[in-house]
Amino acid sequence: MRVTQSMLSNNMLRHISNSYESMAKTQEQLTTGKKISRPSDDPVVAMKGMTYRTNLTEVEQYKRNLSEAYNWMDNSDAALDKATSVMQRIRELTVQASNGTYEESQKGMIGKEIEQLKEHLVSIANTQVAGKYIFNGNDTTKKPVDLSKTPSVSDNGNTVNLELSQGIEVAVNINPKNVFTHTAGSPESGLFGDINELKKALESTSGQDISGFLEKLDSHINNLVSERAELGARYNRVELIDARVGEQEVIANRILSDNEDADIERVITDLKMQESLHRAALGVGSRIMQPTLMDFLR
Amino acid sequence: MRSTFHGLETARRGMFTQQTALQTTGHNIANANTPGYSRQRVNFVQTEAYPAASMNRPQIPGQMGTGVAAGSVQRVREGFLDTQFRGENNKLGYWDARSEALEKMEDIMNEPSDNGLAKTLDRFWQSLQDLSVNPEDSGARSVVRQRGLAVAETFNYLSNSLTAIQGDLKSQANITTKEINALLDDIQSINKQISEVEPHGYLPNTLYDERDSLVDRLSTLLNVEVTTKPSGGKPDPLAAGLYDIKMKDKDGTEFTLVDSTNGTVNHLVINYNDGTGGNGLADSVVVGGGIPITISKFAGGKLQGLIESYGYNDNGSVKGIYPDMLTNLDQMAYQFATEFNKVHSAGWSLSEIEAGAPAGYNFFDLGGVSDPVNPKGAAKLLKLHDDMKELDNIAAATNQFAGDGSNALRLGDVKNAPLDFPGSKSSLQSFYEGAIGKMAVDAQQAVRLTNNSAVLTDSVQQRRLSVSGVSLDEEMTNMIQFQHAYNASARNITVIDEMLDKIINGLGVGGR
């Protein structure tokens, strides 16, 4: 084949420009840290990348939902704990008052304290977390207990569900109907009704038997305890979900990275190789371009 | 009896001819870097020997040569390589136009990234999850509204950007048509000049080169076939003749572009469907006002690549790279917004809970697009519904309690719910991934074939240069060769001169 100058220079230009192109690709991989910069570089990686990114976003969101779930449950648990202490104090006072040795005025004093404790219970039932009433089912913008109204206790037992993992919804509130209740009537019943009756009995002069209330108070304390137990059990479940979502996050990140991230060691090795190729191409080019027959004719 | 000055004449011819050759060498060297130049060669021929064979020829032994003449100056070129080059160049033009269009589309779609539509939808989903956790919170609502707005705006942006590029492709196709027509005119005018020169026995090499470069350029834009036809008069046997240029469609039907016999040129026109109610896409290409070639039959070159990217009508259906993606976006926007509104209007918003009666508020507004089969313009027109001016109108609940976020969860699920896309029931996410995947595969193929055809074009071009390229070393060698021959001829004259001097001045003076 006849070889001419223009062929040589064309060839050289083409090779050098190809070599530049590969260097640009390598440089892109190094600066972005990604294997691909556009879908056509590798359609499979690109499509998988879209799915993995969505997965990662989902997992991150579930983590956020989980912290909100903890917020609800921790606050509910603390409130129930306080409520239990209050109930125990009421029971203590009731035990004292059922001692036949107490005078009417003393009983009246105890009645006053119980009244105050009842108010405290009301404020516990009306606990707000971030502007939400946590003991009113899903009707979180309204107070569950207002003793000045009838009915004075809301009966919303609906669950507040949070999605904590794909398709898994967990109720994060307790059922307030199981704990804070009030049934009007004569005699009143339910938590607040019973306390009202107790107070009335303590303040009355009829010498009514107080010890009968102990049983009722015990059943309310039991309700509180069992609701806490149920909340605790659910809390455990949420912790399990949390652990799994945490693992999923690690996995999702790793898969995303495996799929898209450039293998830096390899890219650098490629760059080095490319660099020497490029030097060779330039060197050869400079040698080829130089001499012609003219340089030897005089 | 031969002439006394025979030797002088022979040597003079030698000098003249070597000079011609040296001049051609100089021309070659001067044009070593001229694109499209083919090196030229002087074909030396012996002049007629003396005496000519005839009855009354002088009785001398044998025939004597009378020297050399420049028979012709010929381009050194291989016609077969031209045909090959044009075939490859044609593919290169097609794939190059296609890959460029697809690359621009990739840039706009920008997937996978943290700024594409997929990410915007993910963020919207996230805000809905946050709303489901805090349904009574106006902060969460306002995030939902903003992210919803971002979804609508991303659809608008993608649709508008794609439409803008599509417009560019149309003007590019029109400019390409103009370029083709100008090239055809140029080729015909060179044909005409050649037809005026060749009959006199000349070889217009410069015109040949120019014409071949024009055909090379034309071959990028269109698939062309060149046939040659001799011009009249008494042309040199080496004359290239006139070029008839034809274009073939996919069925092999030929369309004459340049007719050298009549000296006519048929111009190309793209017909667009832009009458009232038309979609503005390409319908056909017409050559010289003849029978229209439907785009699906049109074969090869940059023009086809551009038209296919821009979009065309094929038997009532719309085809093309950009229309496909725009249709996909419209479908997505329509299906997503419709389903989202359906779920949204079935839920209870804070204001509906307050009022105690459902009002069925919508979240998205499709701008009047309502045809589920062909929701044209849905992506462009998608926006937030006026109902959403009031944050409390976002329906997060399925029942009448403010703390219920289950409808927000359902709204979030719309992204992964199976929607009624034409021909398939798939989720928005997987439909979009499919669209991006198809674009990616198409772009990859286009890039690969562009590279392949570039390599092939280059290699044919190399072979062409191998035949027609100027080698400076070769020219230098020739130059020295011709110079020596020139010098020797001159020396020959000196010898003959000395001889004649002897005859004229030295004879008849014997004994002086």
Side-chain angles (χ1 to χ4, degrees), chain B residues 396-445:
Chain B
T398 41
N399 50 32
Q400 296 184 52
F401 294 109
D404 178 38
S406 49
N407 203 50
L409 280 181
R410 272 185 216 160
L411 287 170
D413 289 343
V414 171
K415 188 168 76 91
N416 297 315
L419 300 175
D420 279 323
F421 288 107
S424 69
K425 219 171 158 63
S426 63
S427 73
L428 184 77
Q429 175 117 16
S430 66
F431 184 82
Y432 183 53
E433 273 172 25
I436 294 293
K438 185 179 179 305
M439 174 191 78
V441 172
D442 281 352
Q444 195 189 32
Q445 185 204 26

Side-chain angles (χ1 to χ4, degrees), chain A residues 40 54 64-65 132 138 140, chain B residues 106 129-130 134 136 403 429:
Chain A
S40 58
T54 301
R64 220 145 88 184
N65 292 1
K132 289 191 263 194
N138 59 5
T140 53
Chain B
E106 283 186 306
Q129 281 278 335
D130 284 338
N134 288 311
E136 56 289 89
Q429 175 117 16

Side-chain angles (χ1 to χ4, degrees), chain B residues 130-332:
Chain B
D130 284 338
L131 180 64
S132 83
V133 172
N134 288 311
E136 56 289 89
D137 186 23
S138 72
R141 273 160 202 278
S142 119
V143 174
V144 166
R145 183 168 69 180
Q146 288 310 317
R147 297 272 170 91
L149 191 64
V151 168
E153 280 171 352
T154 307
F155 270 114
N156 301 159
Y157 163 79
L158 291 178
S159 178
N160 289 335
S161 310
L162 289 180
T163 313
I165 303 274
Q166 199 190 13
D168 289 350
L169 287 168
K170 181 181 184 177
S171 49
Q172 245 182 302
N174 289 340
I175 289 168
T176 305
T177 319
K178 276 193 192 129
E179 197 183 339
I180 290 171
N181 292 338
L183 284 170
L184 294 176
D185 286 339
D186 288 353
I187 292 169
Q188 174 49 30
S189 87
I190 294 179
N191 256 345
K192 189 163 174 293
Q193 291 179 54
I194 290 173
S195 77
E196 284 160 3
V197 178
E198 276 188 343
H200 304 293
Y202 293 115
L203 292 180
N205 288 329
T206 312
L207 292 176
Y208 293 160
D209 276 349
E210 205 177 319
R211 187 174 58 178
D212 279 325
S213 312
L214 290 175
V215 177
D216 283 353
R217 266 166 62 196
L218 187 62
S219 71
T220 322
L221 313 175
L222 216 57
N223 68 328
V224 286
E225 206 179 57
V226 178
T227 44
T228 54
K229 202 162 53 186
S231 36
K234 285 186 66 136
D236 189 289
L238 297 171
L242 305 177
Y243 277 4
D244 273 342
I245 296 187
K246 292 197 177 84
M247 180 184 82
K248 266 188 185 171
D249 70 6
K250 278 184 182 145
D251 295 341
T253 317
E254 289 184 337
F255 297 85
T256 304
L257 299 175
V258 173
D259 183 350
S260 63
T261 318
N262 309 323
T264 51
V265 172
N266 290 324
H267 283 171
L268 250 66
V269 176
I270 306 175
N271 278 337
Y272 293 101
N273 180 18
D274 46 12
T276 38
N279 58 10
L281 299 182
D283 270 339
S284 59
V285 172
V286 180
V287 178
I291 312 153
I293 314 162
T294 49
I295 301 298
S296 52
K297 288 275 158 61
F298 193 78
K302 183 180 171 189
L303 186 62
Q304 193 200 0
L306 287 172
I307 296 177
E308 278 186 7
S309 310
Y310 170 68
Y312 59 97
N313 293 304
D314 186 33
N315 276 332
S317 61
V318 168
K319 286 189 178 159
I321 298 171
Y322 275 73
D324 277 357
M325 187 52 92
L326 281 166
T327 310
N328 284 338
L329 283 175
D330 283 341
Q331 289 285 0
M332 283 168 60

Side-chain angles (χ1 to χ4, degrees), chain B residues 452-511:
Chain B
N452 284 356
S453 45
V455 167
L456 287 174
T457 312
D458 273 350
S459 84
V460 181
Q461 172 71 352
Q462 280 300 90
R463 271 188 283 157
R464 265 197 343 178
L465 281 175
S466 165
V467 176
S468 305
V470 176
S471 156
L472 290 178
D473 292 348
E474 187 179 285
E475 298 302 328
M476 284 305 290
T477 318
N478 283 343
M479 202 161 90
I480 288 155
Q481 207 182 324
F482 297 141
Q483 194 189 6
H484 281 310
Y486 181 88
N487 291 349
S489 293
R491 184 68 61 88
N492 197 11
I493 288 178
T494 319
V495 170
I496 292 167
D497 177 50
E498 279 171 12
M499 187 179 79
L500 291 176
D501 182 51
K502 199 67 179 171
I503 295 169
I504 295 163
N505 300 321
L507 290 187
V509 289

